[in-house]
Amino acid sequence: PVHYGAEPGPRTGPPARARDAWELALIRAALDRGVPLLGICRGMQLLNVALGGTLVQHIDGHAETPGVFGRHPVKPVPGTLYDAAVPEQISVPTYHHQAVDRLGAGLIPSAYAEDGTVEAIELPGPPGWTLGVQWHPEMDDDPRLLQSLIEAT
């Protein structure tokens, strides 16, 4: 919350200031160099914060059992990078308690959960292929999103 001028909420865990600084610098460096970037879960949240966005510090229903991935459907926004990779609604492995609130500069939503939570964001146009997803594609058996990243590199 310190990175977007908010007070930590009662369910916000302790800050990881060194990790935040390193990961925000890494995101900015990738954007500056036009390196394809896929932010996963915390990575999507930090991409949003790096570009001036804010977060909902706690949401219910996206991490049901502590330490266990749940699943819920996400629906792509037509015409987005995510839609080009996965054009239909699918169920994704999820485990998060924060979400995008106000989008950062230039970012657009590219997928939503049924409850309206922004589940994917992207930065269209230059500097390059930049996408963040709230879920964990590395924990799934659908390779299309990761194939899209590989094709962009």
Side-chain angles (χ1 to χ4, degrees):
V2 69
H3 293 286
Y4 51 88
E7 291 294 320
R11 296 175 80 179
T12 299
R17 297 202 195 284
R19 181 179 177 187
D20 288 346
W22 185 83
E23 290 176 353
L24 286 166
L26 185 63
I27 289 167
R28 290 183 183 112
L31 293 175
D32 289 346
R33 289 166 181 77
V35 173
L37 175 64
L38 174 60
I40 295 174
C41 196
R42 174 183 163 89
M44 176 183 132
Q45 296 164 7
L46 283 170
L47 171 62
N48 190 56
V49 170
L51 293 173
T54 63
L55 301 177
V56 175
Q57 292 185 45
H58 184 78
I59 59 170
D60 289 314
H62 292 253
E64 296 166 18
T65 304
V68 177
F69 285 95
R71 295 191 77 85
H72 66 74
V74 297
K75 185 175 182 178
V77 173
T80 60
L81 280 175
Y82 178 66
D83 177 59
V86 184
E88 76 280 355
Q89 179 172 299
I90 63 168
S91 179
V92 296
T94 184
Y95 187 79
H96 60 93
H97 78 100
Q98 295 186 354
V100 166
D101 184 18
R102 183 176 42 82
L103 286 167
L107 291 168
I108 62 169
S110 50
Y112 289 96
E114 290 179 328
D115 66 2
T117 300
V118 174
E119 289 283 332
I121 58 176
E122 65 185 64
L123 189 58
W129 195 97
T130 303
L131 179 65
V133 297
Q134 189 63 67
W135 65 91
H136 289 266
E138 78 281 9
M139 301 303 292
D140 205 358
D141 58 2
D142 186 339
R144 294 178 291 175
L145 181 58
L146 298 175
Q147 285 174 336
S148 182
L149 170 64
I150 291 166
E151 290 168 6
T153 55

